[in-house]
Amino acid sequence: MELAAFTTVFRTHEGNKPSCNSQFYSNNRTLSHFACLAKVYKAWKFYRIQLVKEASQKGLPICRHLFLHYPEDEHVHSFTYEQFLVGTEILVVPVLDKGKGTVKAYFPRGESSSWKHIWTGKLYSIQGSEAWVEAPIGYPAIFVKEGSPVGETFLEKLGEYYVLCR
């Protein structure tokens, strides 16, 4: 669910073989987690609309490999699926391994803005650096560009929907 909250279609696959897959509504903890991430998905709706329009006009994907915007940074060329951009303003570093609670985020060279961790507000300002970031269930490692109107609006919406509380 955490990964799907940053794609254009927020859905689970519980309907595919329901007897074999956990249902998001099967217990209160999972249902609460789903509800929180639905609010996260709603919080960037304004940006998603903008990105879908851009995709139809320019052919750019909504979820993007970092090399599209940081082609001079050789390090991003080695990534396959470890992290991605939503447009140009949101950096997503998903937990992909069961039981893990931290991820290694890379902050690309060529970016003049710092990246702000949405849950803690911590700024990552050193271009071309890596950092281990806590990403417990319910709090995926998501960053927005510091000072970006998109990032600030996203954070405002998260606050309005009572998502920015730990």
Side-chain angles (χ1 to χ4, degrees), residues 1-7 10-12 24 29-44 48 118-119 136-142 154 158 161-163:
M1 290 183 283
E2 291 178 357
L3 184 59
F6 290 93
T7 65
F10 178 57
R11 67 174 295 250
T12 65
F24 72 87
R29 183 174 180 225
T30 307
L31 183 59
S32 179
H33 184 64
F34 182 83
C36 179
L37 289 167
K39 291 177 184 179
V40 170
Y41 182 74
K42 182 180 176 186
W44 70 279
R48 194 167 45 255
I118 68 167
W119 309 112
I137 292 175
Y139 300 93
I142 308 299
F154 179 47
L158 290 172
Y161 303 148
Y162 302 102
V163 176

Side-chain angles (χ1 to χ4, degrees), residues 2 6 33 47 57 60 75 110 115 123 130 135 140 163:
E2 291 178 357
F6 290 93
H33 184 64
Y47 190 39
Q57 294 171 345
L60 286 169
H75 190 71
W115 291 97
L123 293 177
E130 294 178 326
V163 176

Side-chain angles (χ1 to χ4, degrees), residues 41-157:
Y41 182 74
K42 182 180 176 186
W44 70 279
K45 177 183 177 186
F46 73 97
Y47 190 39
R48 194 167 45 255
I49 290 168
Q50 177 185 329
L51 292 172
V52 168
K53 183 177 180 181
E54 181 184 57
S56 71
Q57 294 171 345
K58 298 180 180 177
L60 286 169
I62 285 79
C63 297
R64 303 172 184 174
H65 194 286
L66 276 72
F67 72 74
L68 285 175
H69 297 289
Y70 304 100
E72 303 302 318
D73 187 335
E74 291 294 324
H75 190 71
V76 302
H77 292 268
S78 66
F79 291 152
T80 51
Y81 50 80
E82 296 87 353
Q83 61 187 66
F84 62 92
L85 293 165
V86 176
T88 58
E89 308 299 307
I90 301 173
L91 178 64
V92 179
V93 187
V95 172
L96 299 171
D97 298 315
K98 184 178 179 178
K100 299 287 183 182
T102 60
V103 292
K104 185 166 50 171
Y106 177 75
F107 304 99
R109 295 183 200 286
E111 180 53 58
S112 57
S113 300
S114 297
W115 291 97
K116 181 189 273 188
H117 187 254
I118 68 167
W119 309 112
T120 65
K122 182 175 179 180
L123 293 177
Y124 295 85
S125 303
I126 301 171
Q127 293 183 24
S129 67
E130 294 178 326
W132 284 97
V133 179
E134 286 190 35
I137 292 175
Y139 300 93
I142 308 299
F143 306 86
V144 294
K145 285 184 183 176
E146 172 69 2
S148 154
V150 167
E152 295 303 315
T153 302
F154 179 47
L155 292 172
E156 286 172 20
K157 297 283 185 190

